[in-house]
Structure formats: structure tokens, C-alpha cells
Amino acid sequence: MASEETAKLGSTTAGPSPTIRLLAKLGNGAVAGVTGVSIIFPLDMVKTRLQNQKPATPGGKPPYAGVVDCFRQIVRGEGVRGLYRGLVPNLAGVTPEKAIKLAVNDVARGAIAARIGTTPDKLPTSYGALAGAAAGLCQVIATNPMEIVKIRMQVAATSTRANVTAMDIVRELGIRGVYKGTAATLLRDVPFSMLFFSLQAMFAQRLHAYGGGDTAAKPSTLCVLAGSTVAGVIASGAVTPADVIKTRLQSSSQPSPPYRGIADCASRILQTEGPLAFFKGVVPRCLTMAPLFGIALMMYDLQQKTLGW
């Protein structure tokens, strides 16, 4: 009996080295990120244009009347390819961003669970939020340069620089420039990760239990997808004001005088456009982020179950 238990223990603890596991997570993050971003990028384009739009004259009407009107104007004026401006640099940044996010959250959940004497799957929501905060904090290393290049390419067609490339923007900004607005990115990504990862785990477990699944087992892949999608909607909507501020700060089309920081940007948006301006693009943002993270977590779950990790 003892030998059988030892064998079982050995079979569950043995496995690939940490390096192989990390490479597998990187590959999973790359596939999930590329798939999700490619599918939802047109909505992300519309979201950025809506958040960045300003009336041509004080008190005038903004260029776009809403999501559908913005989509139509982009296709009419720039063609279908216009919906994918900035996709390539975005895809280049997705691999490290998703790898960092998934790996750090996974490691943090494991470390916290070990410290309080439980398993990562049973981690309380508050501790899940703490692990998510660590993931959001670390991912900004990759996210900020990707975001600022993507945003500038997405709004370039509305200016005189319609033919600008990603490398043009990187050369123009330099190393310090691609990290412009990092504080605003942290203001968005840390709360998002706290909400998303904690809610995703809770929703997936509850959906699994509601469907009659074994509460001691991991949630099914469909429950992970559904829980991640719902959590993505809630987290995305909650941090939209921070996303609007970040977009304005990182955009090349600055007002006169330019924004001096987060507080100045928020104050001027409130004064000139009202409180609803902080939720510009909230619908396409939720429609963008929910399936993106749903796909990412589903792919990650499939990897774990397939490899037995």
C-alpha cells in the first residue's frame, strides 16, 4: 500500500523542468494572444478612435456618432485594411505580454496558496486579486510599448501621418518615449488584473458546481471560457475611465496645451466633455477584452489538462 501511494505521489510531482514549463506557457500565451487579437482587433480600432475623438470646435459634434458610425467611416475612408492598422506591432507585443501575465499570476497564486495552506484552485477571491495585481504590475514592461505604438498607428489615419509605420514611431519616441503614460497603464492594468483573475476563478468554479461538476475537480474548459468572458466584461467596463485617460496621454494628437499627466488629463476631460466621456468606447472595449481573455484562459486551461500539469 505504501509503495502504491509513493508511486502515485511520484507520478503527480514528476514533470518537466521549470524552463520547459515556462516555454510552454510562452507558446500558449502566443497562440492565445495572436488568435484573440486577430479576431477582435477591428473592435479595438473602433474603441481607440471613439476614445480619442474630440469635437472640431468647442461645443461642436465629435467626428463619430457611435460604434456603428465609426466602423462605417473607417471602412469608407480607409478600406477594410484600415480596421487592422497597428495589428503587426500589437501581435509582436502580445507574446511577451500574455506570457508574463499568465506566468506571474500562476506563480503568485501557487506561492500564496502554499503560504496559507490551500491549493491555487481553492484560493480565496481576495488572495486571487493579490496575485492578479502582481501579474498586472509586471506585464506593463511589455504592454506599454505595444500600446503606445498601436494607438499612434490607429489614430494616424485621422491626421496628416497616414503612412507612418511602427518603426517610424519607435525611432521617433525612443526608449523613454515608448514608456510614456506608464503610470496610466498601471492605473488600468493592475485593477483590471485584480478584478479579472479573482472573478474568473470564482465564476468558473461556480459555473462548474452549478452544472453538477465535482467541486473537488478543476472546472471544465467551457466553464473556464464562460467565467473568463463574464469576468472580462466586468473588469473591462470597470477600468474604462483609466483606459480613456491612457489613450489620450499616449496619443500623438494632443490638445493645446498638451496634457501634463493623469490628473490634468482627467480634469480637462471632465471640464470640457463631461463625466460620460470617461466611458467612451466602453462597449467595443468590453466586446474586445472579454473574448480575448476568454480565449487566452481557455487555451491555458487546455494546455494544463493536455499536458497534465
Side-chain angles (χ1 to χ4, degrees):
M1 180 69 70
S3 61
E4 289 180 3
E5 291 178 353
T6 304
K8 289 180 180 180
L9 181 61
S11 66
T12 57
T13 57
S17 67
T19 301
I20 297 298
R21 288 174 182 264
L22 181 60
L23 289 174
K25 290 175 185 177
L26 178 62
N28 174 64
V31 173
V34 168
T35 303
V37 168
S38 298
I39 292 171
I40 56 81
F41 198 79
L43 280 172
D44 188 67
M45 167 68 80
V46 171
K47 183 267 299 182
T48 299
R49 292 284 180 90
L50 288 173
Q51 290 182 340
N52 195 60
Q53 69 172 339
K54 307 173 194 68
T57 58
K61 292 184 178 180
Y64 307 115
V67 174
V68 176
D69 180 58
C70 180
F71 186 88
R72 286 174 177 169
Q73 287 196 46
I74 293 173
V75 174
R76 188 185 305 121
E78 306 165 44
V80 175
R81 292 182 64 183
L83 294 169
Y84 290 90
R85 288 183 63 91
L87 175 61
V88 173
N90 197 264
L91 291 178
V94 158
T95 299
E97 185 260 333
K98 285 292 180 291
I100 292 170
K101 196 181 198 76
L102 290 173
V104 172
N105 180 69
D106 201 28
V107 170
R109 288 182 71 88
I112 295 172
R115 188 173 183 84
I116 65 174
T118 186
T119 64
D121 293 332
K122 304 298 182 183
L123 199 65
T125 303
S126 57
Y127 287 109
L130 184 61
L137 185 66
C138 294
Q139 78 169 77
V140 172
I141 297 170
T143 301
N144 209 81
M146 173 189 72
E147 289 269 329
I148 196 168
V149 172
K150 180 198 71 174
I151 288 170
R152 296 209 171 195
M153 290 193 71
Q154 286 181 334
V155 302
T158 62
S159 66
T160 57
R161 304 186 63 197
N163 296 321
V164 69
T165 67
M167 288 308 300
D168 291 335
I169 295 172
V170 172
R171 280 193 290 266
E172 177 186 321
L173 293 173
I175 297 298
R176 291 185 61 185
V178 295
Y179 282 97
K180 179 181 180 182
T182 298
T185 304
L186 286 169
L187 185 65
R188 181 198 66 176
D189 287 353
V190 172
F192 174 88
S193 294
M194 291 177 69
L195 284 170
F196 174 76
F197 282 112
S198 57
L199 292 176
Q200 179 272 329
M202 181 183 71
F203 289 153
Q205 288 284 357
R206 291 191 177 182
L207 286 170
H208 183 67
Y210 182 78
D214 182 3
T215 55
K218 290 185 177 182
S220 68
T221 300
L222 286 179
C223 289
V224 171
L225 174 61
S228 301
T229 302
V230 175
V233 171
I234 296 172
S236 298
V239 302
T240 295
D243 190 53
V244 170
I245 293 171
K246 183 195 75 68
T247 299
R248 295 288 182 91
L249 289 172
Q250 293 182 334
S251 174
S252 56
S253 57
Q254 293 281 314
S256 182
Y259 298 121
R260 296 191 301 274
I262 293 174
D264 179 57
C265 181
S267 175
R268 287 163 66 178
I269 291 174
L270 183 62
Q271 290 175 5
T272 60
E273 303 173 54
L276 290 180
F278 289 108
F279 289 92
K280 283 183 176 180
V282 64
V283 173
R285 173 169 169 76
C286 290
L287 292 175
T288 296
M289 300 304 292
L292 173 59
F293 279 90
I295 292 169
L297 266 293
M298 180 185 69
M299 295 289 289
Y300 187 70
D301 181 71
L302 284 172
Q303 171 201 271
Q304 286 183 310
K305 289 175 178 175
T306 301
L307 299 178
W309 298 352

